[in-house]
Each structure stands twice: as structure tokens, then as C-alpha cells.
């Protein structure tokens, strides 16, 4: 797991950074900035699957997240142009 890869301090720092990333993404989505939906989705997917397996071990979910992110990135650009 994380402790084997990064040690106790490194794993703690990584989890803290991931929590900040998820918190900022959540705050932005609540503020209706839809371009942050892919980041929040990655955070939720990582949290919900971390107890059983690593989401990024398999190719199909990773490709799906990349395509989902690209789609919402384009939609976010379109939304920004309207404002």
C-alpha cells in the first residue's frame, strides 16, 4: 500500500494532499463550476475503490476517466464562453 511505497510520513502527506484536492474540487462543483466535476469524480472513485483495489491498475476505468475528463473540460470551456 501507500506505507510500503512512501513510508509513514510520505503516505500521510499524500493523503493530506489528496484530501485538499478533493475538498477544493467539491467546493468548486458546489459553486457550479462544472469543469471540476472530473476531478471530484476521480477523488470519489479513488476513495470508494481504495479499500478493494487500485482504480488505476486497470486500463478500462482509467481510459473512461480520461474521456470523461476531456468531455467535461470541453463543456466547461463552452460554459465559460457564455458567461
Amino acid at each position: 500500500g501507500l506505507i510500503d511505497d512512501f513510508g509513514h510520513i510520505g503516505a500521510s502527506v499524500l493523503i493530506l494532499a489528496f484530501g485538499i484536492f478533493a475538498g477544493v474540487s467539491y467546493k468548486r462543483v458546489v459553486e457550479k463550476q462544472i469543469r471540476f466535476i472530473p476531478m471530484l469524480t476521480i477523488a470519489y472513485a479513488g476513495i470508494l475503490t481504495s479499500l478493494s483495489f487500485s482504480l488505476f491498475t486497470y486500463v478500462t476505468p482509467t481510459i473512461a476517466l480520461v474521456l470523461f475528463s476531456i468531455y467535461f473540460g470541453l463543456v466547461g470551456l463552452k460554459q465559460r464562453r457564455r458567461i
Side-chain angles (χ1 to χ4, degrees):
L2 288 176
I3 294 174
D4 292 336
D5 293 338
F6 302 106
H8 292 287
I9 295 173
S12 298
V13 170
L14 187 66
I15 293 297
L16 176 67
F18 189 76
I20 292 170
F21 168 78
V24 169
S25 298
Y26 178 79
K27 183 179 176 186
R28 299 290 187 220
V29 169
V30 168
E31 293 171 351
K32 299 187 184 192
Q33 296 182 19
I34 65 169
R35 67 179 186 269
F36 286 91
I37 289 175
M39 280 79 79
L40 187 60
T41 302
I42 290 169
Y44 283 160
I47 291 167
L48 293 174
T49 62
S50 66
L51 297 176
S52 59
F53 66 95
S54 174
L55 180 68
F56 303 105
T57 302
Y58 302 102
V59 176
T60 305
T62 304
I63 291 173
L65 281 172
V66 168
L67 293 175
F68 182 75
S69 299
I70 290 170
Y71 171 74
F72 266 96
L74 295 174
V75 170
L77 285 175
K78 195 176 205 181
Q79 180 188 34
R80 189 183 303 163
R81 288 183 188 156
R82 283 189 207 165
I83 295 174

